[in-house]
Amino acid sequence: MIRFLFKGLLRDRHRSLFPVIIVAVGVFLTTFLYSWMNGVINDMTDSSAKFDSGHLKVMTRAYSILANQLPNDLALTGIDKIMGTLNSEYPGYDWTARIKFGGLLDTPDENGETKSQAPAAGLGIDLLGKNSKEVERLNIRKAIVKGRIPQKPGEILISDEFAKRMDVGVNSKVTLLSTSSSGAMAVQNFIISGTVEFGITAMDRGAIIADVSDVQYALEMLNGAGEILGYSKDMFYNYKTADKMAAEFNKKYSKPEDKYSPIMLTLEDQNGLREYLHYVNVVIFFIIGVFLIAMSAVLLNAGLMSGIRRYGEVGIRLALGESKDQIYKSLLNESILIGIAGSIIGTAIGLALAYYMQEHGIDMSGQFKNSTLMVNNLIKAKISSTSYYIGFIPGLLATLLGTSLSGIQIFKRQTASLFKELES
């Protein structure tokens, strides 16, 4: 029976071509838009995890409340002991200490007087550690524009755009003016070993990257850190595992009455990411719903027009002994074949365009000029396993819904009327 219906659809293009095109277009848009939004989400979470939040983050309770203000006077102390505990109890994660800080970067002229000065956002990471994975994690080698990665204390990296704005280069001497953990003025000299460009506006606008030990010394934070970040060994974020670990850690070590006790937060607990991801899922559901309704409406209209044209065919089939139920089921089977065909075509085209956008992307640096989000300027699509079948949901449901509604007209018309149309 399926083979018979398939041949009928191939031979009567008036009955199948328009519905297949409609389904293919809707499925194409669904597949591509899902892959595009998946790419944006993936890039945002990946960049946020690497540069800001980690998969898990440990801070003091007080620091977590004012984290956007970089309150290093509320930072963790005795981090060697804390990291020892984390490494022993959660060996599946790589734990690393970081210090975020702000200040002014001053560059002197040949007379030692200030030549240029600009606000900077600093990040202290484990650059010089023998077993550190920070250089690979942040993809610093690839981000180097000029110079090299720091190889000894007192050397820093500076964003290339920032270096041009301050008119400094490799081997230039600069002075950091900041605030120590005790609230006093901190002054520390550095040498620029290289310039970097990450393709993230928030980092490229005015960032400096130094070894965490240098920052600890400059800000009077010996054996201290603002944050300890944890990354899964395979760099894959599992929210269920992360939620479970955070709950266990906080139950054991975090004390609500002690503002300096440590607290562990997951990636989704920071920067409103959990709410954002929930919002995106709602948007995706809404997009699929819109295409489902739109395609169903078009296919319903097409089904009604086709039904009118096919009343003669229905009359013949009734005359041959088929019941209305059998005819109705065959129409539904036809719609399934049309839905499958249109879905395959639409998915193939959607995946092809999504793959192109996954490889090349679109440069959105102009739109992110004043952004503080950790989002790559080159927005790409991301094909996941869901991309291969998500288009089939509206593709099949729309054709079934449209056919089921239009096919009801067969039951509304009297059998005698259908025979009469057969005679005419």
Side-chain angles (χ1 to χ4, degrees), residues 121 136 156 203 232 286 356:
E136 289 75 19
I156 64 170
M203 290 292 295
S232 63
F286 177 75
Y356 176 83

Side-chain angles (χ1 to χ4, degrees), residues 163-221:
K164 292 176 181 177
R165 195 164 67 246
M166 291 195 65
D167 192 23
V168 294
V170 177
N171 296 324
S172 295
K173 294 181 179 180
V174 292
T175 301
L176 173 68
L177 305 175
S178 187
T179 305
S180 70
S181 60
S182 61
M185 175 174 280
V187 180
Q188 185 68 32
N189 295 322
F190 291 102
I191 295 176
I192 298 174
S193 68
T195 64
V196 291
E197 183 176 354
F198 293 102
I200 299 175
T201 301
M203 290 292 295
D204 294 338
R205 188 184 301 124
I208 58 175
I209 300 176
D211 185 68
V212 67
S213 60
D214 285 339
V215 181
Q216 287 174 331
Y217 177 77
L219 303 185
E220 300 177 1
M221 296 176 61

Side-chain angles (χ1 to χ4, degrees), residues 113-126:
E113 301 293 333
T114 297
K115 181 176 71 173
S116 61
Q117 197 175 76
L123 181 62
I125 64 175
D126 189 2

